[in-house]
Amino acid sequence: MTTTRATVSGEQIEAAIGGDRQAVGQITQAFLPRVFGLTLRLTRNRELAEDATQETFVRALRALPQLRDHARFKSWILTIAANTAREALR
């Protein structure tokens, strides 16, 4: 079984910050399966997980300019996803 690893480059992050829709799409596509999988595991509810996933990307894209270390993007977005899923359960 092969596992695909979600990655994003510093250039993609900078482009997304600058409003490049293609870069935003690439980042979203790269992390959508991982973010959805996490929110689904935490909520155990497909509808809540879908909502939490969408909200995760909204929050992440708004906060992207504050991300100081681009190498930490993966853990950063997954933290946002976990927090968003927990909020959805309240």
Side-chain angles (χ1 to χ4, degrees), residues 2-69:
T2 32
T3 307
T4 57
R5 294 179 187 253
T7 59
V8 63
S9 70
E11 292 81 18
Q12 286 173 307
I13 292 171
E14 288 301 321
I17 290 170
D20 183 329
R21 289 181 180 204
Q22 184 176 3
V24 170
Q26 291 168 344
I27 291 169
T28 302
Q29 285 297 102
F31 282 90
L32 184 62
R34 187 163 281 204
V35 168
F36 179 71
L38 176 60
T39 60
L40 185 59
R41 278 191 306 279
L42 292 173
T43 63
R44 295 184 177 152
N45 177 295
R46 185 171 192 82
E47 188 175 318
L48 283 177
E50 289 170 353
D51 290 346
T53 297
Q54 182 175 5
E55 183 64 22
T56 294
F57 284 102
V58 168
R59 291 178 183 187
L61 291 171
R62 283 185 184 149
L64 200 54
Q66 283 77 46
L67 178 63
R68 296 174 197 260
D69 183 359

Side-chain angles (χ1 to χ4, degrees), residues 70-88:
H70 296 163
R72 296 190 38 81
F73 181 83
K74 177 181 166 185
S75 63
W76 179 77
I77 197 165
L78 292 177
T79 299
I80 294 171
N83 291 337
T84 303
R86 288 182 192 112
E87 286 176 23

